[in-house]
Amino acid sequence: MVDPNEFPDFVWSIGEEGSDPVVMRQGERYRQDQFAESGHDKHMEDDLAAIADLGVRVVRYGTPWRLAEPEPGIYDWSIWDRAFAACAAAGLEPIVEFLHFGLPDHYPGFVDRAWVDGFEKYVKAFLDRYPSPRWFTPINEPGITARLSARFGIWNDMAATTEAHAQALANIVQANLEAVALIRTDRSGWWIGSEGFDIPVAVNDSPEATADVERIRTLGWLVWDLHFGHEPAVAGYFDGLDVAQLARIRSLAQHDCLVAGLDIYPISVMPVGGDRPTWTSRELINFAVAEIERWHDRYDQPFWIAETSNLTLPLDQQIPWLNEFTAGLARLRADGRPARGICWYSRGDQFDWQTALIEPTGAVTEVGLYDTERRARPVADRFKELADGGVRQPQIS
């Protein structure tokens, strides 16, 4: 029987940037709100119509959890109501996202497990209100959320220990999987993932560089190991956690009705053992394709590129980057790898992402198909050409 909620064979998608973590600005905690910075909160209808104008029918979209739950257990659905009405008017189907790097103010951070129960209640309330959505990214980039909040110490909890990172990662993965379970109890919805993707590349042939590449790779795999029920690639990493929580995560592990999301940018390719060479877009994509193959060999799951853009490359590299990535996905599909789509992230320019929001100043990150004045860049026309070509097989002209 055909699953009416199955994700299409290949999707051309665009996302709307909605990050809202707590960061430090001038020595004080500060909520970095990308919806407000970009003006999307005022231009939602026009922005979604602009996405549809590029031949897109599937949009990655979420509204900040803190706005939907301003007080514990008190929900304000007005932003979601408006977003779904705007999607319907534009002919877009959303991949619904509930959490994008930031928690409501009544939770202290990701290391404290209390928010997981609150997140489950929020998801359940959402499902009760909205019967139609069928594709979900409950938590955007669980691994990156844990890494920057509890390993590098620059967001939210601002912790920087192995113990805090292990606990935050387990909490975030559990919350993500609990949400997927709730969705599948309520409807035959699909988990459409989004996760940062490390591509470590040794720039010399020393044993030290080779070992560092493997260390970076296996740390990056931990988030997938938890989601898919694999033995953790880093032995003992979660030994300090509650065994009951780990057992619960294992019981929720997913193996079907999913498309894993691999978020790949030029900066995802990390030089190991030396300075960063001047790699071309083609060389960067070749590294990405090789790492995707390693990932797929380990997990054997369908995947899509849930985020990409020219982040850290100049604007004149937007079209070459898109072309090379499209060609790379075509090669993967020709080799039998189940690449299910690509999402340019995001519709418009972002703010302060060139520094990972470490010290936000309002600096524009020029990665959008549209600029801050909502003017289409040349890459938007190229994206439309590709999207109009259909979803069955990416093509390069």
Side-chain angles (χ1 to χ4, degrees):
M1 180 181 297
V2 176
D3 180 355
N5 293 329
E6 182 173 359
F7 201 61
D9 180 61
F10 197 90
V11 165
W12 295 95
S13 181
I14 296 170
E16 185 65 43
E17 163 63 350
S19 304
D20 69 335
V22 172
V23 300
M24 294 298 290
R25 186 180 70 167
Q26 299 177 352
E28 296 183 355
R29 290 173 67 84
Y30 170 77
R31 178 74 71 171
Q32 169 64 284
D33 185 338
Q34 295 279 331
F35 268 19
E37 290 267 14
S38 70
H40 177 71
D41 53 357
K42 298 180 176 64
H43 299 277
M44 181 187 293
E45 290 78 10
D46 290 342
D47 289 348
L48 288 166
I51 288 173
D53 285 345
L54 299 185
V56 167
R57 294 294 171 262
V58 176
V59 61
R60 276 200 64 203
Y61 198 87
T63 70
W65 177 14
R66 77 179 203 285
L67 299 181
E69 188 181 342
E71 299 178 43
I74 305 300
Y75 304 111
D76 178 353
W77 301 113
S78 59
I79 299 177
W80 275 117
D81 289 348
R82 182 183 170 200
F84 285 133
C87 284
L92 294 170
E93 179 163 7
I95 302 171
V96 171
E97 176 186 279
F98 297 119
L99 193 166
H100 200 125
F101 297 145
L103 294 170
D105 292 333
H106 45 269
Y107 293 113
F110 289 98
V111 176
D112 187 321
R113 290 173 60 179
W115 71 272
V116 177
D117 181 63
F119 184 70
E120 291 180 58
K121 292 176 180 176
Y122 169 50
V123 172
K124 179 65 167 59
F126 177 98
L127 296 172
D128 289 344
R129 182 175 178 85
Y130 301 109
S132 298
R134 54 183 180 155
W135 302 325
F136 296 85
T137 305
I139 298 178
N140 172 76
E141 293 189 343
I144 297 299
T145 305
R147 184 182 301 181
L148 272 69
S149 299
R151 182 173 160 211
F152 294 164
I154 60 176
W155 293 354
N156 300 307
D157 310 64
M158 298 178 190
T161 68
T162 298
E163 294 77 13
H165 176 249
Q167 186 64 70
L169 184 57
N171 292 345
I172 297 166
V173 171
Q174 181 184 350
N176 202 37
L177 291 172
E178 297 282 8
V180 173
L182 286 169
I183 290 162
R184 293 184 176 175
T185 298
D186 186 79
R187 67 198 68 178
S188 57
W190 277 53
W191 170 33
I192 310 301
S194 171
E195 183 57 78
F197 195 71
D198 298 329
I199 307 169
V201 176
V203 295
N204 66 60
D205 58 2
S206 69
E208 292 80 9
T210 300
D212 280 347
V213 164
E214 185 63 17
R215 177 184 59 81
I216 293 167
R217 177 176 292 134
T218 54
L219 279 169
W221 279 349
L222 286 174
V223 65
W224 297 111
D225 293 340
L226 290 177
H227 276 107
F228 296 145
H230 280 241
E231 188 67 24
V234 181
Y237 200 81
F238 300 105
D239 283 356
L241 273 59
D242 181 355
V243 294
Q245 182 181 24
L246 293 174
R248 176 62 178 170
I249 292 170
R250 283 192 294 271
S251 74
L252 293 167
Q254 295 297 312
H255 306 97
D256 56 15
C257 295
L258 66 89
V259 178
L262 313 181
D263 298 356
I264 298 176
Y265 297 95
I267 198 173
S268 302
V269 182
M270 299 178 289
V272 178
D275 294 335
R276 187 180 187 87
T278 306
W279 286 315
T280 66
S281 290
R282 179 164 297 180
E283 289 172 323
L284 292 167
I285 294 301
N286 286 341
F287 291 136
V289 167
E291 196 66 26
I292 290 170
E293 291 173 339
R294 292 186 190 94
W295 179 94
H296 185 250
D297 286 345
R298 179 172 176 82
Y299 298 112
D300 192 26
Q301 293 290 348
F303 59 89
W304 75 314
I305 306 306
E307 292 184 16
T308 195
S309 77
N310 60 296
L311 182 62
T312 70
L313 292 180
L315 285 173
D316 63 7
Q317 291 301 300
Q318 284 189 309
I319 291 176
W321 177 257
L322 177 59
N323 284 343
E324 292 295 344
F325 218 144
T326 302
L329 290 177
R331 293 198 305 273
L332 285 164
R333 285 169 64 89
D335 289 342
R337 308 283 186 170
R340 300 286 288 271
I342 185 170
C343 176
W344 189 274
Y345 206 85
S346 50
R347 171 205 55 79
D349 285 342
Q350 302 168 11
F351 296 84
D352 295 306
W353 268 110
Q354 56 270 61
T355 62
L357 315 181
I358 291 175
E359 180 69 28
T361 63
V364 177
T365 309
E366 295 183 318
V367 295
L369 298 171
Y370 296 86
D371 65 18
T372 56
E373 300 300 318
R374 291 175 164 75
R375 296 173 299 207
R377 291 195 169 106
V379 68
D381 290 335
R382 180 57 180 147
F383 194 93
K384 179 172 172 54
E385 290 176 358
L386 292 164
D388 286 346
V391 299
R392 294 185 179 177
Q393 177 72 23
Q395 298 290 332
I396 274 289
S397 62

